[in-house]
Amino acid sequence: MNATCRTVLRDGREFTITATVRPRANRADVKCAVPGAPALAERMQEVVRLARLTEARFDSRVQVVLGIDGVPGGGERNWELAAVLADRMARGLWRPAAGVAVPCALGWSDAWQLGRVDGHDAPAVLPAGPDVLLGGGGLPHLGALAGHADPAAAVSSVRAWFPLHSGGVNDALAWVEVSVSPLAGLEAGGGGSEGGEEGEEEDRIAVPGVDAAVQLAVRQALAGARHFDGRALGRWRTAVRFGVPRFTGDSYQLALVMADRLARGRDFVPRGRLIATGTSAAWHAGQVDSVAGHEAKLALILAEAAAGDRVLLPAAWEPALPPGWREALRAKGASCACVERIGLI
């Protein structure tokens, strides 16, 4: 099935986005083809995947291929809403008003994973008519397309922080954000909460903006940690975002798993930020393993901690904590725990 949606950019140029559905056959769920503009194709894929988080149902059997008949300039974002709508039309999830063959949509968002449409950049001559959708006042959220409530009400988003150490001035606490939305019953192509396979669970986890190796590691970590929860598989659509998308190492994984647990209501929410570092060779058993660079990371955490923060470290680090480190952290109003396993920490 094919679907098209027009858009008008801030500079007045008009483009058409086309979406085509085909059997997935072990390919990516979304593919974007923009010749000569790989960064734009990557951003389009990210937008569509994040917007899908607000959909109640998930079908892993199809791939949607999106293309645009030109290359918008840098900073042009009106095409984002058109890409989201073309994707939904192609999969039969939304239809334009009767008599409208090819709708026109202008809109962008900084939080597609919440279904929010923040606004649009108006060109000199704004298109008008029943076939035009304008993000912002005219279409504040994607639920309004069908007269539904704001889909953000069904999405739970939580951030956790982890020390990003590179040995230089760029050392900082970086965040990872997990947004989850409940699935509606048993999904096509997937089992229930007890019958789902890890591969199917991983299909429901979108990690836009990072390379394939990080995507795979994130999906495997979350699928394993949810297996440890017992009845957490097959229940959620998930989007994971990183504040710093380009990094190496896996010391972010404990922060990732804890953000997911908090988003799903599986752990206690701290008064301030949750700061964590650690990895695991067996998330399915809830195990927390050590990571390298503890001296530099402990110093960074202590320097950045604030009142109300909760710090989680691997249990293997406890004997190596510098003298007075816990006391200095406590003096800032933060707390610390060295843990061997996840689960109501």
Side-chain angles (χ1 to χ4, degrees):
M1 179 177 178
N2 294 346
T4 57
C5 186
R6 296 179 294 119
T7 190
V8 180
L9 304 184
R10 184 177 56 227
D11 60 14
R13 291 183 295 164
E14 182 174 314
F15 291 103
T16 299
I17 293 179
T18 302
T20 304
V21 173
R22 63 183 182 180
R24 185 169 178 183
N26 294 320
R27 295 179 291 233
D29 54 347
V30 180
K31 179 181 178 181
C32 299
V34 187
L40 177 62
E42 184 177 346
R43 173 58 184 165
M44 188 179 295
Q45 184 185 54
E46 177 180 4
V47 165
V48 170
R49 280 179 167 166
L50 289 175
R52 285 184 175 189
L53 180 70
T54 61
E55 300 171 6
R57 291 192 173 274
F58 172 79
D59 189 342
S60 62
R61 299 171 298 181
V62 300
Q63 180 191 57
V64 176
V65 182
L66 291 106
I68 186 169
D69 61 352
V71 180
E76 294 279 9
R77 299 183 62 189
N78 276 348
W79 58 265
E80 292 184 11
L81 179 58
V84 171
L85 296 185
D87 172 60
R88 294 193 171 196
M89 284 190 291
R91 292 180 292 124
L93 298 183
W94 178 73
R95 292 182 179 179
V100 176
V102 182
C104 181
L106 290 70
W108 53 267
S109 175
D110 290 327
W112 282 114
Q113 73 276 12
L114 301 180
R116 194 174 73 200
V117 189
D118 293 322
H120 66 278
D121 297 322
V125 179
L126 191 66
D131 62 336
V132 178
L133 291 165
L134 300 177
L139 183 68
H141 56 79
L142 294 175
L145 290 168
H148 295 166
D150 188 345
V155 178
S156 174
S157 290
V158 173
R159 286 183 181 180
W161 279 257
F162 61 96
L164 194 58
H165 169 63
S166 61
V169 295
N170 294 322
D171 290 0
L173 290 181
W175 56 261
V176 56
E177 178 184 85
V178 177
S179 301
V180 297
S181 179
L183 286 165
L186 301 181
E187 300 308 311
S193 59
E194 294 181 302
E197 297 294 331
E198 283 195 5
E200 295 164 355
E201 185 74 12
E202 292 172 22
D203 282 342
R204 301 181 180 100
I205 300 171
V207 197
V210 299
D211 61 37
V214 175
Q215 288 185 37
L216 179 61
V218 166
R219 289 168 174 163
Q220 290 179 339
L222 288 185
R226 290 177 181 179
H227 175 82
F228 176 71
D229 276 352
R231 291 179 57 85
L233 295 175
R235 293 174 176 262
W236 309 97
R237 290 288 308 278
T238 308
V240 178
R241 298 193 305 149
F242 288 90
V244 180
R246 306 299 182 192
F247 59 89
T248 59
D250 57 3
S251 62
Y252 67 88
Q253 288 192 3
L254 180 56
L256 166 74
V257 167
M258 291 305 300
D260 178 59
R261 290 179 62 82
L262 290 171
R264 294 184 293 109
R266 294 289 295 168
D267 226 300
F268 298 114
V269 180
R271 290 187 296 115
R273 298 171 298 178
L274 190 143
I275 304 169
T277 186
T279 185
S280 178
W283 281 120
H284 65 278
Q287 176 181 313
V288 178
D289 297 331
S290 180
V291 292
H294 74 278
E295 293 182 358
K297 291 174 180 176
L298 287 172
L300 178 58
I301 290 173
L302 183 59
E304 297 289 335
D309 288 349
R310 177 69 164 162
V311 178
L312 299 181
L313 305 173
W317 282 20
E318 190 160 20
L321 292 179
W325 188 88
R326 279 183 182 272
E327 291 73 14
L329 189 71
R330 193 176 301 117
K332 286 191 162 193
S335 61
C336 173
C338 296
V339 299
E340 294 182 347
R341 296 185 183 276
I342 57 173
L344 296 180
I345 298 174

